Amino acid sequence: MNEPTGVENEGAGASGLGEEPQREPGLTTGAEPEPPPEVGSGILRVFGRQLKRFRMRAGLERPEFASMVGYSVSTIAAYEQGRRIPPPRLIDQADEVLDAGGVLLEMKEEVARAQYPPFFRDAARLEVEAVGLQVYAMYAVPGLLQTEEYARAVFSVRRPLLDNEQVERGMAARLARQEIYTRKSTPLMSFVMEECVLKRPIGGREVLRGQLEQVLLIGHRRNVEIQVMPVSREDHGALGGPFTLIDTPEGRRIAYAEVQGDSRLYSEHAKVRELESRYGILRAQALTPSESLAYVEKLLGET
């Protein structure tokens, strides 16, 4: 998925994916992105009210409950008021400590979806369920490969500037996506990154060094292939912009593209086939996975 907010390539430019995609139930195809929801609305307010209700039923004051689950009083207050998105760990702890009988756990998935901007939520759902992902990144290291420090830096350099809470929330959402690596059945994953992505010191040299180490670590997983597209190539199969191909458990393939916060999910066969062809050409033009990891090791030694 492509970065500016929830996805892969921070600051994405024109992608050449301008035609209107086919609409299908459950897919946001979005010629116009939805406005972001107000903080404290919807599922977060519902969860917050339920959290407070179970805490009070258990006879716990907020400071006592906060101490039991390892969070500050102000943070628990923010969760109860629907002003912050509670992490999965807090929901698990709260349901157990407050003897909520699974009521809080039932909201866990919807609460998790609330951490993403509206236009990315359907793509996030598809990503979680995917049996295969193919990602082309042009501007930043893909979100599924980012370290905590790199992710924080990516959000910190956004323009207009985000406040500290938005940065932390965005970073947490991005890292939560990496739970995909711990799934019982992990998807096959392919990443093609432009060479310049691995040289751009977002966050500084130390952050980049840690990021290169993570790329190597994940690149050695059996279900992951990482390839680098050299800047020296005279021919290039996808100058139109970054995109992701998502294989669903039902055997469908969906394409995702994002341009300056305007995202689209493509399910129409002709468009998906076009992007499949581009990705195939990219993989043929890029360094092989073994050559790519050797190149990342070389960059790491120079950083």
Side-chain angles (χ1 to χ4, degrees), residues 151-198:
R152 181 181 286 109
V154 166
F155 281 102
S156 296
V157 300
R158 286 278 303 280
R159 299 294 190 276
L161 291 172
L162 303 177
D163 62 37
N164 290 338
E165 186 169 322
Q166 289 174 311
V167 169
E168 293 302 310
R169 187 164 62 239
M171 179 202 69
R174 185 150 301 163
L175 296 180
R177 290 170 55 206
Q178 296 180 14
E179 292 181 5
I180 196 170
Y181 295 115
T182 63
R183 276 175 29 184
K184 185 175 181 180
S185 178
T186 55
L188 295 175
M189 305 170 73
S190 167
F191 299 90
V192 177
M193 288 181 282
E194 292 293 328
E195 180 182 0
C196 59
V197 165
L198 297 169

Side-chain angles (χ1 to χ4, degrees), residues 236-271:
H236 195 297
L239 290 176
F243 59 89
T244 295
L245 298 172
I246 308 168
D247 294 327
T248 73
E250 298 77 28
R252 300 173 63 205
R253 176 165 281 176
I254 308 294
Y256 177 88
E258 183 180 321
V259 184
Q260 298 295 341
D262 182 4
S263 68
R264 285 178 168 84
L265 281 167
Y266 294 92
S267 57
E268 191 270 322
H269 178 74
K271 188 61 190 180

Side-chain angles (χ1 to χ4, degrees), residues 48-287:
R49 287 197 296 266
Q50 291 296 324
L51 178 63
K52 182 176 180 180
R53 181 174 291 115
F54 281 111
R55 175 177 63 77
M56 295 180 68
R57 189 193 69 170
L60 297 174
E61 294 295 327
R62 191 175 286 159
E64 185 180 3
F65 174 63
S67 176
M68 293 174 72
V69 294
Y71 289 80
S72 69
V73 175
S74 61
T75 297
I76 295 300
Y79 293 152
E80 291 185 349
Q81 295 160 12
R83 294 187 291 106
R84 291 185 64 178
I85 300 172
R89 183 172 68 89
L90 179 277
I91 298 176
D92 293 339
Q93 290 177 298
D95 197 89
E96 180 179 353
V97 168
L98 302 177
D99 193 23
V103 173
L104 299 179
L105 292 178
E106 288 178 358
M107 291 183 276
K108 189 174 178 179
E109 183 176 344
E110 288 303 313
V111 168
R113 278 169 56 83
Q115 67 191 323
Y116 301 113
F119 63 80
F120 181 58
R121 287 175 188 165
D122 284 317
R125 174 181 56 80
L126 290 170
E127 181 180 86
V128 167
E129 300 169 351
V131 296
L133 291 168
Q134 300 179 67
V135 180
Y136 170 49
M138 293 183 69
Y139 304 107
V141 171
L144 288 173
L145 301 177
Q146 289 180 9
T147 63
E148 178 177 337
E149 295 77 15
Y150 188 94
R152 181 181 286 109
V154 166
F155 281 102
S156 296
V157 300
R158 286 278 303 280
R159 299 294 190 276
L161 291 172
L162 303 177
D163 62 37
N164 290 338
E165 186 169 322
Q166 289 174 311
V167 169
E168 293 302 310
R169 187 164 62 239
M171 179 202 69
R174 185 150 301 163
L175 296 180
R177 290 170 55 206
Q178 296 180 14
E179 292 181 5
I180 196 170
Y181 295 115
T182 63
R183 276 175 29 184
K184 185 175 181 180
S185 178
T186 55
L188 295 175
M189 305 170 73
S190 167
F191 299 90
V192 177
M193 288 181 282
E194 292 293 328
E195 180 182 0
C196 59
V197 165
L198 297 169
K199 292 184 173 182
R200 184 171 291 126
I202 296 175
R205 292 290 171 184
E206 285 304 310
V207 170
L208 178 59
R209 182 175 178 80
Q211 182 58 71
L212 292 174
E213 290 174 346
Q214 173 132 315
V215 168
L216 283 173
L217 182 66
I218 296 178
H220 281 100
R221 288 176 174 266
R222 291 176 57 208
N223 65 310
V224 177
E225 289 190 337
I226 293 175
Q227 293 180 255
V228 176
M229 182 65 171
V231 296
S232 60
R233 292 290 190 259
E234 295 182 3
D235 193 10
H236 195 297
L239 290 176
F243 59 89
T244 295
L245 298 172
I246 308 168
D247 294 327
T248 73
E250 298 77 28
R252 300 173 63 205
R253 176 165 281 176
I254 308 294
Y256 177 88
E258 183 180 321
V259 184
Q260 298 295 341
D262 182 4
S263 68
R264 285 178 168 84
L265 281 167
Y266 294 92
S267 57
E268 191 270 322
H269 178 74
K271 188 61 190 180
V272 173
R273 182 59 183 157
E274 176 186 324
L275 292 175
E276 286 176 336
S277 297
R278 289 183 187 176
Y279 197 81
I281 294 170
L282 275 174
R283 293 201 67 181
Q285 294 171 330
L287 300 177

